[in-house]
Amino acid sequence: MLEFLASHSNVVFQPDFDDPRFSGLNPYALGFEMMRDIERVVTDPTDEDRAYLPQIAGNGDVMGTLKIAWAEFRDDSFIAQYLSPRLIRKLRLFKLADRSEDPHYRVDAIHDERGYERVRRALARQYDPGHRDPNLQVTGVDLKGNRRLDLTHRLNNDVPLTEQDALSVLSYIADLWGYDVLLHGLDSDGTERYRHEASPPG
Amino acid sequence: MINSNPCISYIMEENTMTMQALVMAHAAFGHNHFFKNNYLFKEGTDARASSTISASPGLRFALREQHGIAAVERVLDGAHALMDQGVNRYGRRARPSLAEEKKRADARRAHHQSTFNDLWRTVPTKAKPAATEQETDAAFHRLGLPEENLLYFIEKFSPACRTGNASSCASCASSPSTSTRRSRPRS
């Protein structure tokens, strides 16, 4: 039993933001907390829960509610649907806005009525593949000439790829392709923001 | 953990009994529950297909005889790096059947006949694009560009695969597709 507890606690452990082990939210921790919170809302709801989660608050059917949550949602919609204000307070979540034109961070959402909504939406968006995954496409290939493969990355919110990671993946692509690969990043108005190249090894 | 029917879960022999139960509960039951019941897996994956890949004779042959472990591993590493670029996020319209196509062609012809006006013949037209431009367009069309599924594109069109360059593309020649491509009609 102790071994089980130790292993379980390690998996759902969430280090604080100033902890050297911190690397963002632990998805196991967040998921486990949310499912426990759903259980609480279903069996013992407060007035706040009834206002925020009227569709499940106090319905008494924990397993049935969880089964729907597992079957009908993906990461981002699950958070958008079920993250309760009480859990936002418990995990001490708030929202920082980091804009490129702004020299400072701004605290954008706190624990008030409007803040809960913003935190929930911002956190859900972090798990939305449409925002998280880079939009990379093959846009050209010179099959008769030097056989270079052209890839285009359309930047989301003008955020470029981490250079080191992009170069590593690009060298894998060059290896599979067998010839040079060019990746260029275009921002929303179509101007080129960066350009990386890779050649196959040897 | 492989999303197949029945699902396959690899667990370490050396685990204690507790860990074994925990891993089974987590991987075999937890993940598998999602594979079977979550709407995205229901729509996007086919449990019948994936059970055969690891046991495929083609892959084993490629590993042992044809290319050697190092070359196959290199390809698998590359394919893993492109994991998130091996997905078709945006579906295309279904290809019309022959009957549908004929119906459409008939409708188009009927429309042409009903709106025929000989005056259009006298209107000057734009010059046709240069031959090279047409050729490039045709090549782009043939390759299906732009293409979001990088793994699929490499599998189909990589020159390294086509020339049988064993050092850089081991698995394409004999083993099943490494990309997670869903069946997608091409026009």
Side-chain angles (χ1 to χ4, degrees):
Chain A
M1 196 59 198
L2 268 180
E3 189 185 357
F4 165 75
L5 283 176
S7 175
H8 175 79
S9 316
N10 281 338
V11 170
V12 298
F13 174 67
Q14 176 64 58
D16 287 336
F17 76 97
D18 51 357
D19 191 302
R21 291 164 292 179
F22 180 81
S23 61
L25 273 180
N26 172 359
Y28 293 104
L30 180 64
F32 188 62
E33 286 288 359
M34 282 186 67
M35 285 186 247
R36 290 217 304 184
D37 195 57
I38 289 173
E39 181 181 16
R40 184 192 59 77
V41 171
V42 165
T43 52
D44 183 22
T46 61
D47 287 347
E48 186 185 50
D49 296 326
R50 288 187 200 280
Y52 274 84
L53 297 161
Q55 70 280 26
I56 60 164
N59 73 10
D61 180 11
V62 177
M63 221 8 113
T65 308
L66 282 174
K67 272 185 179 165
I68 291 172
W70 293 328
E72 305 296 342
F73 295 87
R74 62 179 197 190
D75 297 354
D76 53 330
S77 53
F78 176 66
I79 292 170
Q81 186 74 22
Y82 292 110
L83 189 70
S84 72
R86 189 187 161 116
L87 192 60
I88 292 176
R89 285 195 299 272
K90 187 181 170 195
L91 298 176
R92 299 175 185 171
L93 301 174
F94 62 98
K95 182 171 174 247
L96 279 182
D98 174 16
R99 304 197 170 281
S100 54
E101 66 265 23
D102 225 340
H104 304 289
Y105 287 112
R106 207 169 72 106
V107 177
D108 210 25
I110 55 168
H111 294 171
D112 57 13
E113 207 170 305
R114 218 183 288 167
Y116 294 133
E117 205 48 59
R118 284 195 189 150
V119 168
R120 180 150 81 172
R121 210 177 314 139
L123 187 63
R125 184 165 267 207
Q126 276 188 21
Y127 292 93
D128 179 353
H131 278 271
R132 197 192 47 197
D133 297 350
N135 177 0
L136 279 179
Q137 307 214 8
V138 180
T139 46
V141 49
D142 187 0
L143 278 180
K144 284 184 183 150
N146 60 10
R147 296 183 167 182
R148 192 185 68 187
L149 182 69
D150 289 347
L151 306 176
T152 303
H153 172 213
R154 294 217 162 255
L155 273 66
N156 182 17
N157 256 337
D158 291 352
V159 181
L161 297 174
T162 314
E163 190 172 342
Q164 200 46 55
D165 291 354
L167 286 174
S168 321
V169 174
L170 215 53
S171 72
Y172 274 122
I173 300 177
D175 192 21
L176 290 177
W177 182 251
Y179 293 88
D180 290 359
V181 178
L182 169 75
L183 168 70
H184 58 131
L186 305 180
D187 64 15
S188 44
D189 54 13
T191 49
E192 186 172 283
R193 286 282 301 276
Y194 69 86
R195 181 181 268 260
H196 297 313
E197 267 184 271
S199 304
Chain B
M1 181 69 225
I2 295 179
N3 173 19
S4 59
N5 183 18
C7 77
I8 301 168
S9 170
Y10 293 95
I11 46 181
M12 284 208 302
E13 243 181 326
E14 296 83 2
N15 282 345
T16 60
M17 220 45 192
T18 316
M19 280 310 288
Q20 217 70 303
L22 191 58
V23 172
M24 273 157 65
H26 174 106
F29 285 84
H31 284 288
N32 198 37
H33 176 89
F34 266 83
F35 290 152
K36 186 159 164 59
N37 296 305
N38 185 265
Y39 79 105
L40 284 171
F41 284 100
K42 269 188 186 168
E43 284 171 11
T45 63
D46 183 356
R48 283 170 309 170
S50 30
S51 60
T52 51
I53 292 177
S54 59
S56 133
L59 183 59
R60 272 198 232 146
F61 178 71
L63 270 172
R64 241 184 281 134
E65 316 275 340
Q66 203 175 1
H67 305 290
I69 288 176
V72 175
E73 194 173 338
R74 237 171 91 193
V75 172
L76 290 181
D77 279 352
H80 265 123
L82 291 177
M83 192 157 45
D84 291 336
Q85 267 68 49
V87 185
N88 295 311
R89 291 183 176 79
Y90 317 104
R92 301 197 175 187
R93 70 189 168 85
R95 196 173 183 164
S97 73
L98 206 60
E100 278 171 334
E101 219 161 333
K102 187 173 179 311
K103 220 168 106 186
R104 209 169 53 170
D106 287 347
R108 197 186 300 128
R109 201 176 308 117
H111 178 75
H112 269 304
Q113 284 170 359
S114 68
T115 58
F116 176 77
N117 189 338
D118 199 37
L119 269 182
W120 283 113
R121 195 169 45 79
T122 63
V123 176
T125 51
K126 260 196 282 181
K128 278 189 178 170
T132 49
E133 210 172 299
Q134 272 182 339
E135 235 172 68
T136 326
D137 280 354
F140 266 54
H141 187 71
R142 208 166 47 243
L143 296 171
L145 294 178
E147 170 64 62
E148 52 164 336
N149 189 336
L150 265 55
L151 262 188
Y152 169 75
F153 188 84
I154 287 171
E155 182 201 336
K156 290 295 173 211
F157 300 112
S158 166
C161 294
R162 189 162 298 178
T163 53
N165 181 351
S167 75
S168 59
C169 197
S171 72
C172 304
S174 59
S175 75
S177 151
T178 45
S179 70
T180 53
R181 174 175 181 269
R182 266 189 263 157
S183 63
R184 172 171 111 188
R186 292 218 153 238
S187 50

